[in-house]
């Protein structure tokens, strides 16, 4: 709730210049200073020095009420200024010095000067104390790095031998890391891709070729697989392993505001952080359970403890957004610390859609309505300006879908003004802003930031609003306005370039040029397609030409598909998964099946399933049990689910998985056609068939498994579709 957008780098430079212009002609700027103490070398550039007043100045730009500045920020600013102070005293043989913090308000264009006079001896003592603390920390970190290097050099592959295909994958990952290149690795499910990619990067870290490894996943089960794989390493290496969890899942007090005046785990956080951090790094594996235990023991927030530990960890396991998002912490730390990072992107076929969402900015009409109803008086006028600009921006659509290359200037200006108003008001009365109003503020801020990227593959669109919703007050809810990213390549390319090596892996990364193009991978990216360790005898793949699951044909398809599923179940009773294109189709197919074949147990995936419901759904797939679970393709159970042996013996896939034909996808298709000359394939065919292969991959998990997959649509017989199915499948037409 205390968040205020800090000045940009450009605004900071402008602020420094304006302060300097107010000084006398003898004022010196950008003074290079350096000094040493023991093994520590310190260097930097002081912002300004006035020799007439003998005053060294450290300039900081800000916006809003300076009295609300966090104490720990002010402490750091003084520490920086005093370090420069000693180095200046030493260089110019000064016996004392005036040290000043100059805070420049970029909005009001006013400066606040806080000055203290120090003797050179006092500044020297402060400098040496900080160097000693740093040297102690550095020695600890160097000792940890040496122990890590020693342990990783002697570490052997767990379980003795590689699985078939796993060694080939590991060798390719190691060579990419050694050569500092990117790798697209398509490898079948069941060969142990998680361990097969982690192990070679850990060996490379043991050769001092990497500083950090980031294992990034699309979904929670992928994080757990990585953590489990790391527990099998022997001998146990000296590794600090960190799991990053979303704030809403880690928060201990969701009913309280996220600052020290409201939350007991935020109050005094930095006072108790060192002890909590020490306990965490000594634990080694810092998963969400360990962090919660340590956080509560030291009365600090587990979520923010994890964020702080990102700087101290060797292997970080977390969601894609921690590295690829617009303001991703791991990416920023990589740049700031010049880390040599090994990046592992699990189930990488998901990254295209996820990145599109990261670099899109929707403004939902319902959010505006709710914010306006609850807003404090100080924010109402700004919200009203945004509402009028919103209406004007949507008017040309006339209730239909509208797309244009950029957002209207009047909307941009109204949002900019609202952000300034909100920021100033939050400085004064943050606690008076209800959650609905704060959400609008953050949505506007994200929209404004995205609009400043000026990406040619981002459009502004207005959602079709043929049946507008009406609020309780009778107000019509305005349609959603979106800055929509169509191709995320330009945003992701710098993040790949910042890593020492990148491996994107999945069972479905074909064709590779689709992922290279849409993700912005380097031209020199290598590819590997690991042969499956399975045989056609293990998996029966049956294709039916007499069923169509096209939208217009779905009603007629229900009974034939239900009867085919029942016949297969009768021939070989056991656990099966059925995949459809939507929840609506799922419900209709499940109802038809239950009506025609009531003796077969069924269970259904539902909309907005929480974690407990997902666990319960998967718990039905036990060896010796029988029934059919109905799920949507591309959902929680279409990938990342491991049901070996008799826990799952077959799947029915009643869809090609292709995205819906709608206004938004029409825009994506047109842009893909312009950029790559393959609009239909890049928008529909490649993403859809990837989901099909992922779902089918749930059936065969190891070399002992046997099962069946039904492809229930006549389009699976098309040559271009068959070419995207795994080469080891022997497809039988039935």
């Amino acid at each position: 709730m205390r968040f205020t957008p800090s000045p940009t780098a450009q605004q900071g430079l402008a602020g420094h210049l304006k302060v300097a212009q107010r000084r006398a002609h003898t004022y010196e700027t950008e003074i290079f200073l350096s000094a040493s103490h023991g093994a520590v070398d310190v260097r930097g550039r002081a912002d300004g020095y006035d020799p007439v007043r003998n005053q060294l100045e450290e300039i900081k730009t800000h916006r809003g009420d300076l009295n609300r500045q966090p104490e720990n920020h002010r402490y750091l600013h003084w520490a920086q200024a005093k370090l420069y102070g000693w180095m200046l005293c030493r260089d110019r043989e000064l016996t004392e010095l005036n040290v000043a913090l100059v805070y420049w308000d970029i909005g009001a264009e006013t400066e606040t000067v806080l000055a203290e006079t120090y003797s050179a001896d006092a500044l020297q003592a402060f400098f040496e104390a900080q160097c000693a603390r740093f040297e102690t920390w550095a020695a600890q970190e160097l000792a940890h790095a040496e122990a890590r290097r020693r342990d990783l050099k002697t570490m052997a592959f767990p379980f003795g031998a590689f699985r078939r295909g796993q060694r080939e994958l590991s060798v390719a990952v190691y060579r990419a890391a050694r050569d500092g290149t990117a790798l697209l690795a398509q490898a079948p499910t069941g060969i142990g891709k998680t361990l097969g990619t982690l192990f070679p990067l850990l060996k490379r870290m043991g050769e001092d070729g990497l500083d950090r490894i980031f294992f990034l996943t699309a979904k929670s089960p992928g994080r757990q697989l990585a953590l489990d794989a790391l527990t099998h390493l022997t001998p146990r290496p000296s590794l600090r392993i960190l799991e990053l969890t979303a704030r809403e899942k880690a928060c201990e007090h969701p009913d309280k505001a996220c600052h020290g005046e409201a939350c007991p785990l935020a109050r005094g956080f930095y006072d108790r952080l060192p002890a909590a951090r020490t306990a965490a790094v000594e634990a080694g594996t810092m998963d969400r359970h360990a962090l919660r235990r340590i956080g509560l023991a030291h009365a600090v927030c587990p979520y923010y403890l994890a964020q702080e530990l990102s700087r101290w960890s060797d292997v970080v396991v977390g969601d894609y957004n921690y590295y690829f998002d617009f303001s991703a912490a791991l990416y920023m730390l990589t740049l700031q610390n010049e880390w040599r990072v090994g990046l592992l992107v699990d189930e990488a076929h998901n990254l295209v859609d996820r990145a599109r969402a990261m670099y899109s900015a929707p403004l939902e009409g319902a959010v505006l309505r709710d914010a306006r109803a609850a807003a404090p008086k100080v924010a109402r006028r700004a919200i009203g300006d945004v509402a009028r600009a919103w209406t004007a921006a949507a008017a040309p659509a006339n209730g239909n879908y509208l797309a244009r290359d950029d957002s209207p200037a009047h909307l941009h200006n109204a949002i900019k003004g609202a952000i300034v108003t909100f920021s100033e008001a939050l400085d004064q009365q943050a606690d008076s802003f209800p959650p609905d109003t704060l959400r609008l503020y953050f949505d506007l801020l994200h929209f404004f930031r995205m609009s400043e990227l000026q990406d040619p593959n981002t459009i502004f669109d207005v959602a079709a609003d043929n049946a507008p919703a009406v609020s309780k007050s009778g107000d019509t809810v305005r349609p959603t306005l979106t800055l929509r990213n169509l191709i995320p390549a330009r945003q992701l390319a710098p993040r790949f370039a910042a890593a020492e090596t990148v491996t994107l892996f999945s069972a479905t990364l074909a064709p590779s040029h689709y992922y290279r193009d849409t993700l912005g991978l380097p031209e020199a990216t290598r590819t590997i397609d690991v042969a499956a360790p399975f045989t056609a005898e293990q998996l029966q793949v049956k294709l039916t030409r007499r069923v169509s699951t096209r939208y217009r044909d779905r009603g007629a398809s229900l009974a034939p598909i239900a009867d085919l599923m029942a016949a297969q179940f009768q021939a070989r009773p056991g656990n099966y998964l059925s995949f459809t294109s939507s929840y609506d189709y799922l419900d209709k197919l499940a109802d038809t099946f239950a009506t025609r074949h009531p003796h077969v147990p069924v269970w259904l995936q539902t909309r907005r399933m929480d974690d407990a419901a997902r666990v319960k759904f998967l718990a039905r797939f036990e060896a010796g049990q029988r029934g059919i679970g109905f799920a949507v393709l591309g959902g929680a159970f279409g990938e990342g689910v491991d049901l070996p042996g008799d826990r799952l013996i077959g799947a029915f896939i009643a869809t090609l998985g292709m995205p819906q034909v709608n206004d938004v996808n029409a825009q994506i298709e047109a842009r893909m056609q312009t950029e790559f000359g393959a609009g239909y394939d890049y928008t529909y065919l490649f993403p859809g068939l990837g989901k099909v292969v992922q779902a089918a991959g749930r059936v065969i998990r190891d070399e002992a498994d046997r099962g069946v997959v039904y492809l229930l649509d006549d389009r699976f017989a098309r040559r271009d579709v068959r070419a995207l199915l795994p080469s080891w499948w022997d497809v039988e037409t039935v």
Side-chain angles (χ1 to χ4, degrees):
M1 287 180 64
R2 292 300 176 84
F3 176 78
T4 300
S6 60
T8 65
Q10 185 177 5
Q11 290 170 328
L13 291 172
H16 280 61
L17 180 61
K18 287 185 178 181
V19 170
Q21 289 172 343
R22 293 182 165 205
R23 302 297 187 256
H25 71 278
T26 56
Y27 190 75
E28 302 174 31
T29 61
E30 293 291 313
I31 307 135
F32 179 78
L33 298 167
S34 65
S36 298
H37 176 77
V40 180
D41 298 327
V42 184
R43 61 182 181 270
R45 292 185 183 275
D47 291 330
Y49 174 61
D50 185 339
V52 176
R53 294 187 296 164
N54 190 32
Q55 181 160 296
L56 178 79
E57 296 185 335
E58 183 61 29
I59 303 168
K60 302 296 182 185
T61 53
H62 73 100
R63 68 169 93 233
D65 183 3
L66 193 60
N67 291 324
R68 296 182 66 84
Q69 181 186 43
E71 183 180 349
N72 60 301
H73 288 195
R74 182 76 57 83
Y75 182 87
L76 287 173
H77 296 164
W78 272 120
Q80 181 184 7
K82 289 160 70 176
L83 293 175
Y84 285 141
W86 158 243
M87 292 189 280
L88 186 73
C89 286
R90 195 203 64 163
D91 285 359
R92 304 198 181 189
E93 299 181 348
L94 304 174
T95 58
E96 69 174 17
L97 180 68
N98 297 318
V99 180
L101 296 179
V102 180
Y103 287 103
W104 175 260
D105 188 326
I106 64 170
E109 294 203 339
T110 57
E111 64 177 87
T112 303
V113 180
L114 308 176
E116 297 283 348
T117 301
Y118 294 95
S119 68
D121 290 343
L123 291 173
Q124 181 181 8
F126 181 82
F127 179 91
E128 291 177 351
Q130 303 312 309
C131 288
R133 291 179 66 189
F134 184 88
E135 196 166 15
T136 299
W137 170 83
Q140 169 191 306
E141 293 304 289
L142 289 169
H144 167 72
E146 180 56 36
R148 181 186 71 188
R149 188 180 305 112
R150 181 188 64 247
D151 293 348
L152 291 177
K153 277 187 175 181
T154 60
M155 180 183 66
F157 188 77
F159 315 117
F162 288 89
R163 297 182 187 179
R164 286 177 57 190
Q166 194 178 38
R167 181 179 182 82
E168 181 184 359
L169 173 63
S170 288
V171 169
V173 174
Y174 175 83
R175 288 174 176 168
R178 179 196 61 193
D179 300 336
T181 60
L183 174 69
L184 268 172
Q186 178 169 276
T189 56
I191 70 165
K193 292 190 293 292
T194 301
L195 190 55
T197 53
L198 275 168
F199 180 75
L201 287 196
L202 289 169
K203 296 301 287 185
R204 183 61 183 154
M205 180 181 277
E207 299 168 350
D208 201 27
L210 295 172
D211 301 314
R212 300 288 190 278
I213 297 171
F214 298 156
F215 189 100
L216 307 174
T217 71
K219 299 175 182 177
S220 299
R223 293 205 313 267
Q224 192 57 52
L225 287 173
L227 294 169
D228 291 344
L230 290 165
T231 63
H232 292 301
L233 300 175
T234 53
R236 183 68 175 162
S238 302
L239 280 178
R240 296 172 182 167
I241 301 164
L242 173 67
E243 180 186 15
L244 294 177
T245 308
R247 181 164 57 182
E248 57 269 19
K249 293 186 178 180
C251 181
E252 289 292 321
H253 297 286
D255 59 320
K256 294 180 172 60
C258 198
H259 59 73
E261 294 172 18
C263 179
L265 299 183
R267 188 179 307 121
F269 176 86
Y270 291 99
D271 298 331
R272 297 186 294 276
L273 174 62
R277 183 173 55 205
T278 298
V281 297
E282 288 176 352
T285 298
M286 300 169 281
D287 63 12
R288 61 187 182 278
H289 304 297
L291 289 173
R292 182 176 187 271
R293 183 179 66 253
I294 294 168
L296 295 182
H298 291 269
V300 299
C301 172
Y303 172 78
Y304 281 104
L305 174 61
Q307 303 305 301
E308 290 288 335
L309 288 167
S310 298
R311 307 168 186 270
W312 297 67
S313 303
D314 304 311
V315 181
V316 180
V317 180
D319 189 88
Y320 291 164
N321 64 282
Y322 287 107
Y323 188 84
F324 291 115
D325 207 346
F326 178 71
S327 56
L330 293 181
Y331 173 62
M332 298 302 178
L333 288 171
T334 299
L335 296 180
Q336 291 169 7
N337 297 288
E338 299 182 352
W339 285 338
R340 298 167 300 166
V341 166
L343 202 61
L344 294 175
V345 184
D346 184 25
E347 302 292 2
H349 60 278
N350 289 297
L351 187 56
V352 178
D353 283 343
R354 284 289 305 276
R356 276 197 191 113
M358 290 177 197
Y359 291 94
S360 296
L363 294 176
E364 299 177 13
V367 174
L368 175 68
R369 177 203 64 203
D370 295 342
R372 195 173 190 178
K377 185 176 180 180
V378 69
R380 290 175 191 166
R381 181 173 179 178
I383 294 177
D385 292 342
V386 171
R388 284 185 288 274
W390 193 310
T391 300
N398 195 27
N400 300 312
Y401 178 80
L402 170 72
R404 49 180 284 178
D405 289 338
D406 55 8
S407 56
H410 63 274
L411 177 66
H412 183 88
N413 292 334
I415 289 174
K416 182 178 180 180
I419 290 171
V420 172
T421 299
F422 271 56
S423 300
E424 293 173 350
L426 283 166
D427 277 333
Q428 302 296 328
Q429 43 183 304
D431 295 342
S432 69
F433 275 69
D436 288 340
T437 308
L438 283 172
R439 180 181 172 187
L440 176 65
Y441 171 52
F442 288 119
D443 285 354
L444 294 176
L445 193 61
H446 182 56
F447 188 96
F448 186 77
R449 287 172 169 171
M450 290 296 106
S451 69
E452 292 191 317
L453 289 179
Q454 297 180 346
D455 177 30
N457 283 322
T458 295
I459 62 171
F460 171 80
D461 66 18
V462 181
D465 192 26
N466 297 321
V470 177
S471 68
K472 293 180 180 178
S473 62
D475 296 332
T476 299
V477 177
R478 290 167 176 81
T480 297
L481 311 180
T482 306
L483 278 174
R484 189 180 305 281
N485 180 274
L486 304 179
I487 305 173
R490 285 179 175 84
Q491 287 75 27
L492 298 183
R495 284 155 169 72
F496 291 129
E500 179 73 13
T501 182
V502 179
T503 294
L504 298 93
F505 60 100
S506 169
T508 49
L509 287 178
S512 59
H513 61 79
Y514 164 73
Y515 293 97
R516 280 201 305 268
D517 291 343
T518 55
L519 295 176
L521 287 163
E523 284 294 323
T525 298
R526 300 173 182 176
T527 62
I528 182 175
D529 188 356
V530 178
F534 314 125
T535 65
E537 288 72 26
Q538 288 181 256
L539 181 68
Q540 293 178 282
V541 182
K542 300 186 177 186
L543 185 160
T544 175
R545 293 178 180 269
R546 292 195 174 188
V547 172
S548 167
T549 62
R550 296 170 181 84
Y551 185 78
R552 65 178 182 271
D553 300 326
R554 287 179 187 170
S557 72
L558 296 174
I561 291 177
D563 292 344
L564 184 149
M565 293 167 62
Q568 172 61 37
F569 184 89
Q570 184 175 2
R572 187 186 175 191
N575 292 323
Y576 293 84
L577 268 168
S578 166
F579 293 100
T580 53
S581 55
S582 67
Y583 284 104
D584 180 65
Y585 191 25
L586 180 154
D587 292 338
K588 290 177 180 177
L589 180 59
D591 286 344
T592 301
F593 185 88
T595 300
R596 297 171 71 90
H597 307 284
H599 62 286
V600 180
V602 298
W603 52 97
L604 279 60
Q605 179 182 0
T606 58
R607 296 170 176 82
R608 293 178 290 278
M609 250 183 168
D610 59 21
D611 289 343
R614 292 175 184 176
V615 170
K616 185 177 180 180
F617 182 93
L618 290 175
R620 299 287 297 268
F621 292 90
E622 289 297 331
Q625 298 299 313
R626 298 177 179 182
I628 300 177
F630 287 77
V632 290
L633 194 70
F637 307 113
E639 59 183 77
V641 172
D642 191 21
L643 300 170
D646 290 341
R647 294 185 65 189
L648 181 69
I649 63 170
F652 308 97
I653 304 175
T655 173
L656 266 69
M658 293 193 290
Q660 292 180 351
V661 176
N662 56 33
D663 294 322
V664 171
N665 286 330
Q667 293 292 324
I668 295 175
E669 181 180 11
R671 193 60 56 94
M672 291 290 192
Q673 185 66 33
T674 300
E675 291 285 325
F676 310 118
Y680 175 80
D681 289 349
Y682 274 49
T683 306
Y684 298 104
L685 187 61
F686 297 158
L689 267 293
K691 295 176 185 177
V692 169
V693 176
Q694 280 288 333
R698 302 311 98 204
V699 178
I700 302 297
R701 306 299 296 171
D702 60 44
E703 296 177 45
D705 283 355
R706 297 290 185 273
V708 62
V709 169
Y710 280 85
L711 304 177
L712 301 172
D713 192 288
D714 56 13
R715 290 169 290 178
F716 281 112
R718 282 172 21 193
R719 181 176 300 177
D720 59 335
V721 174
R722 292 283 291 271
L724 296 171
L725 302 179
S727 58
W728 64 276
W729 285 8
D730 184 8
V731 181
E732 174 191 1
T733 301
V734 297

